[in-house]
């Protein structure tokens, strides 16, 4: 088991190297440079431009820049943002809790709703419930996330006025943020009403970000349950005279969860790309919005560092999912 | 009073293209402690009949009978909950594929003990002791350790022993064994069969043994029923039926046994296949494959008729206009 984890961790290294190469190349393929963008519309003289480029080390050949990036990386240094000149890692860590909070709520919603809906649709196959769940999830899956977000804002924030339009907390609250998780911080602050305010801010972004994973999980659970219900061991369970509830909740669900776990793991990776759009729509101060801003400003170190860290997180999550398989599926546990 | 008393059972499946009959006009009785063998090719409705008895058919199946009694209880009037109290408790079943019939995600112990828990309750410790005792009875070595094993860690034969332990866990009065040895190695087949028959005798259970191995039936069952395309073709004492088959189908099945043709290179076969659910012929269901078919066989479907045989072990029935060995059989009017 330990050697399995170790081998998997070792395999992360070449993958991460590949990712640095790809992001480095892509980032520098974007037209324009950070100095020209900082200078704005008025522009600066070519001399001054060249001088700043040299100060930032951006005048060196690309391979040299890449090697020095790798060299720093080996020492745990992701570089400094070109815009704020703060260390990239610090900026990432200060913004990450916002994304984590949103992502966690979205996955919680997707899993806690997607699995039961999929199970019900599977059991009641061909019924109105099944068609409704499957039709809705196909719609949710096909809907562009930014458009869906705008629709929700227009309806719930604009017309009904139930939820705030953007941000994490209304400006009339000013609280300390020791953890970075707004739901926890507002509770710790003891400020009356702050927690519900933070919660209200979370609702729409959570729904938007959860929509696609919810749809995928529900569909996967349904087809998985359908397959499992046709298995011989379900007939055996029925032959024992067990209650239908027990047969589904214990005998079918445990086996049906094996492919669903894979899908959930993959969705966590995709969650980050969803977060970029969602955070932009809702002005959510997280990693997604930060990355979009970095693209706009050609903040090369932030982009390279940010993407590398996200890739690392996604790979670790998938490793954890791999290990979780063993808990659900004894056939894998024993073959390791 | 018979343990099982079924008259005119029919099972049909509702599909988008209409209703298809799988079993029709099937009557069976089984006494307490009796072993009945059911033989027939694949697709002859043996398993469907047994699943109907267990209440395990899919929801689109329709089961009808003029009489369907188990131990004096009318099974047709029982609600789902009362029915579940019988299945796994008084009626138990074991299946063809032991390795897929056990849930791969749970230990042997969990699956065995949950059957006891569902019907008999008792403390966790009592159940565990009972589980060890049962595994020991079905001949599993080191039963205490095996309780914590998963099905994939055991062989097919061992898994079938676990299935048997599960089936007898609640001391059923009727055990249905649906081709219990078909998926196993030949050497294991005999062991499992011996085990089943030993348990049946020790416990005095009624047992229905489904198989397409005529040799198994001859050795194990006093009575035999031959099924074809969802109908009972012949029933009677195994001794009589095997010595003097009345139905041409029974005769053809027996004639295909290797031991009846020592030294020949090619065994006789029955041409064709069992008709599917939607291509059943007019007249006798067996006539397209029957060597003795005549005009009346093609015209109308024969009814099951009582015949009298020498040994007189129970009544004997045959569904044929022109039975074999007519000279020995006295066809009742």
């Amino acid at each position: 088991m330990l050697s399995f984890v170790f081998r998997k961790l070792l395999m992360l290294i070449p993958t991460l190297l590949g990712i640095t190469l790809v992001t480095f190349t892509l980032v520098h393929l974007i037209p324009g440079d950070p100095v020209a963008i900082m200078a704005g519309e008025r522009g600066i003289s070519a001399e001054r431009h060249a001088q700043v480029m040299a100060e930032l080390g951006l005048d060196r050949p690309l391979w040299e820049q890449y090697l020095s990036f790798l060299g720093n990386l080996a020492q745990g240094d992701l570089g400094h943002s070109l815009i704020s000149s703060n260390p990239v890692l610090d900026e990432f860590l200060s913004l990450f809790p916002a994304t984590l909070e949103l992502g966690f709520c979205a996955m919680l919603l997707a899993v806690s709703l997607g699995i039961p809906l999929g199970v019900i649709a599977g059991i009641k196959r061909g019924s109105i419930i099944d068609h409704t769940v499957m039709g809705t999830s196909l719609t949710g899956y096909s809907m562009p996330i930014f458009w869906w977000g705008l629709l929700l804002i227009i309806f719930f924030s604009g017309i009904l006025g139930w939820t705030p339009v953007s941000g994490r907390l209304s400006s009339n609250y000013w609280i300390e943020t020791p953890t970075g998780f707004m739901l926890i911080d507002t509770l710790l602050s003891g400020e009356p009403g702050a927690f519900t305010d933070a919660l209200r801010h979370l609702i729409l972004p959570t729904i938007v970000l959860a929509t696609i994973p919810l749809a995928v999980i529900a569909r996967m659970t349904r087809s998985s349950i359908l397959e499992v219900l046709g298995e011989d061991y379900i007939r055996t369970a029925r032959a024992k005279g067990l209650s239908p509830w027990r047969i589904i909740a214990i005998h079918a669900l445990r086996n049906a969860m094996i492919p669903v776990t894979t899908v959930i793991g993959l969705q966590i990776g995709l969650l980050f790309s969803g977060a970029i759009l969602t955070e932009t729509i809702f002005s959510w101060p997280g990693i997604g919005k930060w990355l979009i801003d970095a693209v706009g400003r050609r903040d090369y170190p932030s982009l390279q560092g940010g993407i590398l860290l996200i890739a690392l997180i996604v790979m670790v999550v998938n490793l954890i999912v791999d290990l979780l398989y063993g808990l659900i599926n004894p056939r894998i546990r024993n073959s390791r | 009073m018979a343990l099982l008393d079924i008259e005119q059972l029919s099972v049909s499946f509702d599909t988008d293209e209409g209703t298809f009959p799988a079993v029709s006009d099937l009557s069976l009785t089984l006494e307490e402690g009796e072993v009945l063998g059911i033989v027939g090719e694949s697709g002859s409705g043996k398993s469907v009949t047994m699943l109907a008895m267990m209440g395990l058919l899919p929801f689109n199946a329709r089961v009808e009978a003029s009489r369907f009694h188990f131990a004096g209880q009318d099974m047709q009037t029982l609600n789902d909950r009362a029915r579940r109290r019988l299945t796994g408790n008084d009626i138990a079943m074991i299946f063809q594929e032991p390795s897929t019939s056990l849930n791969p995600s749970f230990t042997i112990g969990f699956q065995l003990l949950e059957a006891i828990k569902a019907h008999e309750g008792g403390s966790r410790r009592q159940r565990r002791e009972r589980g060890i005792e049962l595994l020991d009875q079905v001949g599993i070595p080191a039963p205490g350790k095996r309780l914590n094993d998963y099905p994939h860690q055991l062989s097919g034969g061992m898994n079938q022993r676990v299935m048997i332990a599960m089936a007898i866990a609640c001391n059923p009065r009727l055990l249905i064994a649906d081709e219990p040895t078909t998926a196993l190695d030949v050497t294991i087949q005999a062991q499992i069969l011996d085990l089943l028959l030993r348990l049946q005798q020790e416990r005095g259970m009624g047992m229905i043994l489904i198989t397409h191995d005529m040799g198994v039936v001859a050795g194990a069952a006093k009575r035999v029923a031959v099924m074809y395309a969802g109908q009972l073709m012949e029933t009677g004492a195994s001794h009589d039926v095997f010595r003097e088959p009345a139905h041409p189908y029974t005769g053809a099945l027996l004639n295909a046994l290797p031991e009846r043709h020592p030294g020949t290179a090619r065994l006789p076969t029955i041409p064709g296949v069992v008709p599917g659910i939607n291509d059943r012929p007019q007249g006798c269901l067996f006539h397209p494959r029957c060597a003795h078919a005549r005009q009346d066989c093609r015209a109308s479907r024969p009814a099951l008729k009582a015949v009298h045989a020498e040994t007189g072990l129970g009544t004997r029935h045959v569904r044929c206009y022109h039975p074999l060995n007519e000279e020995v059989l006295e066809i009742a009017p």
Side-chain angles (χ1 to χ4, degrees):
Chain A
M1 184 65 181
L2 265 180
S3 82
F4 173 79
V5 176
F6 187 71
R7 258 185 297 146
K8 282 271 183 183
L9 283 175
L10 220 57
M11 271 161 61
L12 292 186
I13 295 171
T15 320
L16 282 174
L17 264 180
I19 287 166
T20 59
L21 189 63
V22 171
T23 47
F24 188 88
T25 323
L26 282 179
V27 158
H28 283 88
L29 276 176
I30 312 173
D33 64 66
V35 178
I37 285 167
M38 265 190 278
E41 280 179 24
R42 267 192 326 175
I44 46 170
S45 67
E47 244 170 55
R48 179 75 185 130
H49 181 265
Q51 194 192 341
V52 180
M53 287 292 273
E55 278 171 20
L56 294 172
L58 296 174
D59 57 338
R60 293 178 296 161
L62 271 184
W63 63 267
E64 210 182 302
Q65 290 186 43
Y66 179 62
L67 286 184
S68 79
F69 170 66
L70 281 189
N72 290 335
L73 191 63
Q75 298 165 41
D77 180 8
L78 285 173
H80 293 251
S81 161
L82 294 183
I83 310 300
S84 66
S85 60
N86 292 326
V88 169
L89 188 64
D90 290 0
E91 290 216 333
F92 186 93
L93 290 179
S94 74
L95 294 170
F96 188 61
T99 302
L100 193 60
E101 185 173 43
L102 178 59
F104 180 78
C105 291
M107 269 332 264
L108 195 69
L109 180 68
V111 170
S112 60
L113 220 56
I115 292 176
L117 283 177
V119 170
I120 293 169
I123 300 168
K124 305 267 173 204
R125 178 192 192 174
S127 68
I128 298 170
I129 304 174
D130 180 25
H131 290 305
T132 313
V133 170
M134 285 304 102
T136 317
S137 76
L138 187 64
T139 315
Y141 186 67
S142 323
M143 208 141 43
I145 214 173
F146 59 88
W147 183 69
W148 172 226
L150 291 178
L151 277 187
L152 287 179
I153 292 177
I154 290 170
F155 189 68
F156 287 105
S157 308
I159 298 174
L160 295 174
W162 289 356
T163 54
V165 177
S166 66
R168 296 179 79 189
L169 196 65
S170 301
S171 51
N172 46 340
Y173 295 103
W174 185 252
I175 60 155
E176 294 287 319
T177 54
T179 65
F181 298 103
M182 203 51 88
L183 290 180
I184 299 172
D185 288 338
T186 49
L187 275 181
L188 290 177
S189 74
E191 190 95 30
F195 178 75
T196 36
D197 187 69
L199 201 61
R200 271 155 41 94
H201 276 85
L202 248 174
I203 294 173
L204 287 192
T206 301
I207 293 175
V208 169
L209 189 55
T211 301
I212 290 178
L214 174 68
V216 174
I217 292 170
R219 295 183 77 85
M220 191 68 211
T221 307
R222 175 186 181 268
S223 67
S224 188
I225 271 279
L226 275 179
E227 197 184 314
V228 167
L229 285 180
E231 294 284 351
D232 286 350
Y233 52 77
I234 296 299
R235 189 183 55 191
T236 309
R238 291 176 65 200
K240 283 191 242 176
L242 303 177
S243 68
W245 187 87
R246 187 180 166 89
I247 291 170
I248 287 159
I250 310 271
H251 285 268
L253 200 57
R254 177 78 166 262
N255 290 286
M257 283 325 287
I258 295 169
V260 175
T261 316
T262 317
V263 166
I264 292 174
L266 293 173
Q267 287 300 317
I268 290 173
L270 290 173
L271 207 61
F272 281 98
S273 59
I276 290 176
L277 286 167
T278 311
E279 289 181 3
T280 309
I281 300 165
F282 290 95
S283 297
W284 191 265
I287 297 299
K289 191 166 173 302
W290 176 67
L291 279 178
I292 287 289
D293 291 345
V295 172
R297 291 169 176 164
R298 311 291 186 276
D299 189 350
Y300 299 147
S302 296
L303 275 178
Q304 289 156 11
I307 293 172
L308 188 66
L309 287 172
I310 288 178
L312 184 65
I313 292 167
V314 170
M315 284 189 287
V316 171
V317 165
N318 278 304
L319 176 62
I320 294 172
V321 171
D322 264 6
L323 296 177
L324 275 180
Y325 279 159
L327 285 184
I328 310 177
N329 190 348
R331 280 168 295 186
I332 290 180
R333 195 185 316 155
N334 291 295
S335 63
R336 273 178 195 157
Chain B
M1 184 180 58
L3 180 63
L4 187 67
D5 188 358
I6 299 174
E7 254 169 51
Q8 290 181 315
L9 173 84
S10 72
V11 182
S12 53
F13 291 95
D14 290 327
T15 69
D16 291 342
E17 286 121 56
T19 305
F20 293 115
V23 174
S24 55
D25 186 25
L26 184 134
S27 302
L28 270 184
T29 56
L30 185 80
E31 300 298 326
E32 264 336 309
E34 188 189 14
V35 182
L36 170 72
I38 300 186
V39 290
E41 285 165 278
S42 308
S44 53
K46 300 170 299 205
S47 296
V48 171
T49 309
M50 294 308 126
L51 291 175
M53 268 179 221
M54 294 288 288
L56 295 182
L57 287 172
F59 65 95
N60 65 336
R62 215 174 328 148
V63 180
E64 281 158 348
S66 64
R67 190 178 170 85
F68 189 173
H69 285 194
F70 174 78
Q73 259 180 307
D74 187 351
M75 301 286 271
Q76 288 173 300
T77 59
L78 291 182
N79 62 20
D80 286 352
R81 187 178 281 266
R83 185 75 188 256
R84 280 205 301 277
R85 230 172 286 145
L86 280 181
T87 37
N89 194 16
D90 288 333
I91 314 178
M93 185 162 177
I94 55 177
F95 304 96
Q96 192 170 343
E97 285 282 348
S99 16
T100 57
S101 294
L102 287 164
N103 194 326
S105 293
F106 295 97
T107 59
I108 301 298
F110 177 89
Q111 299 184 58
L112 175 59
L113 303 185
E114 89 177 331
I116 304 170
K117 189 179 170 189
H119 296 291
E120 290 178 356
S123 74
R124 184 180 283 262
R125 223 182 111 178
Q126 284 171 335
R127 288 202 298 269
R128 203 184 146 79
E129 272 164 22
R130 180 111 173 82
I132 293 174
E133 189 188 305
L134 282 164
L135 289 187
D136 190 47
Q137 277 180 27
V138 296
I140 290 182
K145 271 189 212 156
R146 292 287 91 83
L147 277 182
N148 302 321
D149 279 354
Y150 287 91
H152 70 272
Q153 293 168 302
L154 301 182
S155 68
M158 281 297 155
N159 277 332
Q160 193 63 300
R161 286 176 194 266
V162 173
M163 287 295 293
I164 294 172
M166 249 157 63
I168 61 168
C170 300
N171 302 313
R173 296 165 75 177
L174 170 61
L175 177 65
I176 301 170
D178 187 355
E179 308 208 22
T181 60
T182 309
L184 304 173
D185 285 346
V186 183
T187 47
I188 310 294
Q189 286 185 358
Q191 293 177 16
I192 295 290
L193 200 68
D194 285 348
L195 171 67
L196 274 174
L197 292 172
R198 180 169 61 77
L199 290 169
Q200 184 270 328
Q201 294 216 318
E202 281 172 11
R203 292 159 171 261
M205 297 183 286
M207 181 156 100
I208 297 180
L209 183 64
I210 303 181
T211 174
H212 42 235
D213 189 335
M214 306 286 268
V216 165
V217 177
K222 280 228 171 64
R223 275 200 311 135
V224 63
V226 181
M227 279 189 79
Y228 183 80
Q231 283 192 327
L232 218 53
M233 289 302 183
E234 179 167 7
T235 63
S238 322
H239 178 266
D240 298 345
V241 171
F242 287 127
R243 211 176 48 170
E244 278 139 8
H247 200 284
Y249 180 57
T250 320
L253 280 180
L254 288 168
N255 198 34
L257 287 176
E259 58 263 35
R260 301 214 168 182
H261 305 274
T264 37
R266 196 173 264 274
L267 290 173
T269 54
I270 310 174
V273 290
V274 182
I277 244 164
N278 34 10
D279 53 4
R280 298 238 160 115
Q282 285 280 311
C284 173
L285 290 170
F286 186 60
H287 89 256
R289 304 174 72 189
C290 182
H292 310 271
R294 293 177 218 174
Q295 195 51 46
D296 47 351
C297 303
R298 293 179 193 98
S300 65
R301 207 162 282 181
L304 205 61
K305 259 192 266 173
V307 294
H308 179 73
E310 272 179 307
T311 49
L313 240 172
T315 41
R316 195 169 168 193
H317 290 86
V318 62
R319 189 189 295 277
C320 184
Y321 290 131
H322 311 286
L324 307 172
N325 303 310
E326 235 168 328
E327 59 287 352
V328 257
L329 302 165
E330 274 174 47
I331 311 287

